[in-house]
Amino acid sequence: MRVSRLMLVTLRDDPAEAEIVSHKLLLRAGYIRRIASGIYAYLPLLWRVLRKVSAIVREELDATGALETLLPQLQPADLWERSGRWAGYTAGEGIMFHLEDRQGRELGLGPTHEEVITALAAELLRSYRQLPVNLYQIQTKFRDEIRPRFGLMRGREFIMKDAYSFHASEACLKDTYAVMDQAYRRIFNRCGLRTVAVEADSGAIGGSASQEFMVTAEAGEDLILTSPDGRYAANQERAVSLAPEPVALADQPCHDLSTPGQTTIEQLCSGHGFDPSQIVKVLLLLARFADGADQPLIVSLRGDQQLNEVKLANAVQARLGAERGSLLELAPITADQLERQGLEPLPFGSLGPDLSDALLSGARDWTPRFLRLADGTAASLERFVCGANRLDTHRVGARWDPSNPCPESLDLRAAQPGDRCHHDPSQHLEAARGIEVGHIFQLGRKYSEALEARFTTESGADEALWMGCYGIGVSRLAQAAVEQNHDRNGICWPVSIAPFEVIVVVASSQDSQQVELAERLYGELQQAGLEVLLDDRNERAGVKFKDADLIGIPWRVVVGRGATDGQVELVERAGGSKRDLSADELLAALLPQIQAGRQGLNNPAQS
């Protein structure tokens, strides 16, 4: 390919819309162009990258015995209603683009395909003899992101590989889950990514176990917590740890304390010398469900700890979801909401865990009793400071007792860097930022039971299928590779996914000897099976060199003044090492390096 025919348009300055380095570089180097908020055109250079990533994914999944298919992007609402996810994906999080056709039927543009694939399995997989089966697709997906950002990292349209496996037993599911884990590690290694596998929350997809694969990068939206010995790694949404030991509160009779204007933990501590770990803070929240019911919550948390909203949402869903459907939203209760419900004002800033259910009597739309939960750090306190449920008043020396019963104790706190590890308290959690590029799930029977995907076992019994789900963000992976592989001059693509492997640069297009030698090398390298880009533009050498660095082709061959003596310069993009050599020696020097790069042999090991 010749640069003059590539439709290459590079930018000197960073576009105003781009926030992170990889987004800036993909725009500047002519890989993508923004069409609308969160919607990008993949230009020819990036499309070559995406095809290479997809080829690696296909090779590794085909090697596991998985079967490629292609599922419809338009999905009927009734499948999602049967699984119980339609309301959550449309009215709740609202991430699904949905529409109504001319016959009045509701449809959605698929952000994921569990319902469709399970409906197909219900029709096609009837016997244990057909199992296990693993189906995958590489498909455009859609998410109605409220605030698309970071280019391809969080867009409204994206390319994804999703796979779904079906099994006769949980043991078989776990075996395939392990096989896919290893396939993912090989995929990311071959793509030149440094990734870490972490325990993760299953989110709206559900299931009993899941694992994310994170590309470590400062621009990552996720916080990863790991132990120094490498034995533990988790997304903060899922992470567990040992909280610091609390400072004991002096043994004293329970009494009221006047606290005018002291409505925060910091104000209480500075005003009275308390330690935050001696305080139980009470969070008043409202859970909104798919059935239209609104459930008030009281959550008790130790004052030095932060609430993990994902853990809380999972706990609420587990306790009420079977009766009320999907949890759509969790949000703090406000004074305005109390007024709209016809309820008396509450002393926010002085609430205690024993707030009476009677305060909810007469609520117009809310369930007239609180669901009470406590984090283990609060539940384990022998005595504590808390609100007295009266304005500007707190209780000192409160205990959990029959008049103030301890709520159900759960892990609801957010693990933090520096916390002690469960497996070894001498180890302390360390933090890193990560970009999620893959996620694998053990779904169990959640979807097969909802959509009646059943099979006949070897003993003749009728049972629901066991399922697994495995996703890779193909377009996100490409940008994550840039986030990990760049320098101040531009992109440094790994050979295995680079749009071209070599770029031949003619220093002066006016020099016939340079042009002749460059054309010869261009042909020879192509004949040897290398993917070569020839910069044949009538531009200054400095412009060509800057563009070559910006677009990030792994190897650059410069044909300059040495052409008269048959000499060229070979430059490795990553690191910038240079050497002069004879044009006749070029192929022998270059071919082994590129062959190793194609196989990912020079890439870092995964963890």
Side-chain angles (χ1 to χ4, degrees):
M1 174 60 69
R2 298 172 185 272
V3 174
S4 61
R5 310 306 305 159
L6 189 57
M7 200 176 71
L8 179 65
V9 178
T10 58
L11 305 175
R12 178 180 299 177
D13 299 319
D14 292 335
E17 70 186 80
E19 300 178 58
I20 61 175
V21 172
S22 55
H23 188 195
K24 295 174 183 178
L25 290 175
L26 288 176
L27 285 167
R28 286 186 54 212
Y31 282 86
I32 60 175
R33 278 294 181 273
R34 181 179 181 271
I35 304 301
S37 176
I39 303 172
Y40 288 85
Y42 309 132
L43 298 179
L45 281 175
L46 186 66
W47 188 243
R48 291 181 67 94
V49 173
L50 295 175
R51 286 173 60 190
K52 287 191 172 184
V53 173
S54 297
I56 290 171
V57 169
R58 284 188 171 98
E59 288 173 13
E60 292 296 342
L61 291 191
D62 289 350
T64 69
L67 305 171
E68 186 170 7
T69 186
L70 188 63
L71 302 172
Q73 294 171 329
L74 270 179
Q75 304 182 26
D78 68 280
L79 290 179
W80 287 71
E81 287 167 347
R82 288 171 63 191
S83 71
R85 294 205 298 173
W86 179 257
Y89 270 73
T90 55
E93 285 188 77
I95 64 171
M96 180 188 277
F97 287 102
H98 53 288
L99 61 137
E100 190 174 284
D101 67 15
R102 286 180 287 181
Q103 284 75 44
R105 294 172 296 207
E106 288 189 293
L107 301 160
L109 279 174
T112 186
H113 277 74
E114 283 81 10
E115 281 79 3
V116 169
I117 198 71
T118 308
L120 287 172
E123 295 181 16
L124 300 174
L125 301 176
R126 298 298 184 85
S127 169
Y128 73 94
R129 294 186 179 90
Q130 298 171 276
L131 302 173
V133 170
N134 192 0
L135 298 164
Y136 77 93
Q137 63 172 345
I138 298 176
Q139 168 76 284
T140 298
K141 301 294 184 77
F142 303 89
R143 285 176 64 98
D144 190 4
E145 294 283 356
I146 296 176
R147 289 177 293 275
R149 60 191 307 213
F150 302 158
L152 308 183
M153 294 292 191
R154 185 169 291 280
R156 307 177 85 190
E157 178 177 321
F158 52 95
I159 299 174
M160 185 174 176
K161 185 285 301 175
D162 47 329
Y164 306 90
S165 62
F166 298 90
H167 310 270
S169 68
E170 185 177 16
C172 182
L173 164 59
K174 290 181 177 180
D175 288 344
T176 297
Y177 184 85
V179 168
M180 294 295 281
D181 171 272
Q182 293 303 308
Y184 271 41
R185 293 170 192 265
R186 291 191 298 272
I187 288 167
F188 300 134
N189 180 264
R190 289 181 60 185
C191 289
L193 298 176
R194 299 182 298 278
T195 61
V196 57
V198 303
E199 292 181 16
D201 180 71
S202 296
I205 289 178
S208 59
S210 76
Q211 182 174 257
E212 289 174 334
F213 293 84
M214 295 284 194
V215 169
T216 52
E218 285 301 316
E221 292 188 278
D222 293 289
L223 185 67
I224 306 167
L225 297 175
T226 61
S227 61
D229 61 9
R231 292 172 56 193
Y232 182 75
N235 190 312
Q236 191 183 34
E237 293 179 345
R238 175 67 181 264
V240 296
S241 65
L242 296 173
E245 292 296 331
V247 176
L249 187 67
D251 191 4
Q252 56 191 297
C254 182
H255 63 278
D256 288 349
L257 178 69
S258 178
T259 54
Q262 297 169 357
T263 58
T264 68
I265 300 295
E266 292 76 13
Q267 290 168 340
L268 274 176
C269 291
S270 62
H272 303 278
F274 298 128
D275 186 86
S277 66
Q278 298 171 326
I279 300 171
V280 169
K281 59 183 174 184
V282 171
L283 307 177
L284 197 60
L285 304 167
L286 190 68
R288 188 163 62 90
F289 285 89
D291 69 351
D294 291 337
Q295 172 65 58
L297 310 176
I298 288 180
V299 179
S300 298
L301 193 68
R302 205 171 77 188
D304 62 332
Q305 300 301 305
Q306 299 300 314
L307 178 67
N308 184 317
E309 294 182 7
V310 172
K311 291 180 180 178
L312 176 61
N314 290 340
V316 173
Q317 180 69 48
R319 281 150 186 78
L320 301 177
E323 176 186 350
R324 298 183 179 174
S326 298
L327 174 64
L328 302 183
E329 184 182 28
L330 267 176
I333 290 176
T334 66
D336 287 344
Q337 288 176 312
L338 293 171
E339 185 177 354
R340 287 196 298 270
Q341 290 295 315
L343 301 177
E344 294 295 320
L346 291 177
F348 289 107
S350 301
L351 297 178
D354 57 343
L355 188 68
S356 174
D357 287 338
L359 295 170
L360 295 176
S361 62
R364 295 190 178 101
D365 303 310
W366 296 353
T367 303
R369 63 184 179 281
F370 291 109
L371 172 64
R372 300 171 189 268
L373 301 172
D375 180 69
T377 56
S380 62
L381 290 175
E382 289 189 21
R383 58 186 67 85
F384 48 86
V385 178
C386 66
N389 297 316
R390 298 193 306 279
L391 192 64
D392 296 334
T393 308
H394 283 73
R395 289 201 299 266
V396 180
R399 292 174 177 269
W400 301 114
D401 58 30
S403 65
N404 182 26
C406 183
E408 181 182 1
S409 177
L410 302 165
D411 176 21
L412 300 175
R413 60 181 285 273
Q416 299 292 334
D419 284 352
R420 295 169 297 151
C421 299
H422 268 286
H423 72 277
D424 180 356
S426 69
Q427 303 266 327
H428 294 265
L429 291 176
E430 298 174 344
R433 306 302 303 184
I435 300 166
E436 180 192 342
V437 291
H439 203 156
I440 60 177
F441 304 81
Q442 293 180 35
L443 296 178
R445 291 170 158 174
K446 172 181 176 178
Y447 296 95
S448 56
E449 288 177 341
L451 282 93
E452 299 179 355
R454 309 184 70 81
F455 73 105
T456 302
T457 68
E458 189 173 6
S459 64
D462 181 60
E463 292 186 4
L465 291 160
W466 291 86
M467 289 180 60
C469 171
Y470 320 89
I472 289 177
V474 173
S475 49
R476 174 183 277 206
L477 185 154
Q479 185 171 332
V482 176
E483 196 65 41
Q484 259 192 356
N485 298 279
H486 70 270
D487 60 21
R488 62 187 180 88
N489 296 318
I491 301 169
C492 303
W493 287 111
V495 171
S496 55
I497 61 173
F500 293 92
E501 295 162 334
V502 187
I503 182 169
V504 178
V505 178
V506 185
S508 174
S509 299
Q510 307 304 314
D511 188 313
S512 60
Q513 286 184 307
Q514 292 184 26
V515 172
E516 182 180 347
L517 181 55
E519 291 282 358
R520 190 194 103 196
L521 293 175
Y522 176 56
E524 289 176 356
L525 295 174
Q526 284 186 313
Q527 285 291 319
L530 304 187
E531 298 173 354
V532 190
L533 187 60
L534 173 64
D535 195 342
D536 59 340
R537 295 175 297 171
N538 186 21
E539 292 279 4
R540 290 180 292 107
V543 172
K544 295 181 179 181
F545 295 156
K546 283 185 177 296
D547 280 350
D549 282 344
L550 181 60
I551 65 178
I553 307 306
W555 293 92
R556 182 169 82 222
V557 177
V558 181
V559 182
R561 294 175 181 175
T564 56
D565 302 318
Q567 294 289 306
V568 297
E569 181 183 58
L570 180 61
V571 183
E572 185 176 11
R573 177 67 186 87
S577 62
K578 302 178 181 180
R579 59 182 288 202
D580 294 325
L581 72 167
S582 164
D584 294 333
E585 300 172 337
L586 177 63
L587 182 60
L590 200 50
L591 190 58
Q593 296 289 336
I594 290 179
Q595 288 175 334
R598 286 174 176 175
Q599 298 302 314
L601 300 180
N602 299 327
N603 295 338
Q606 310 302 295
S607 60

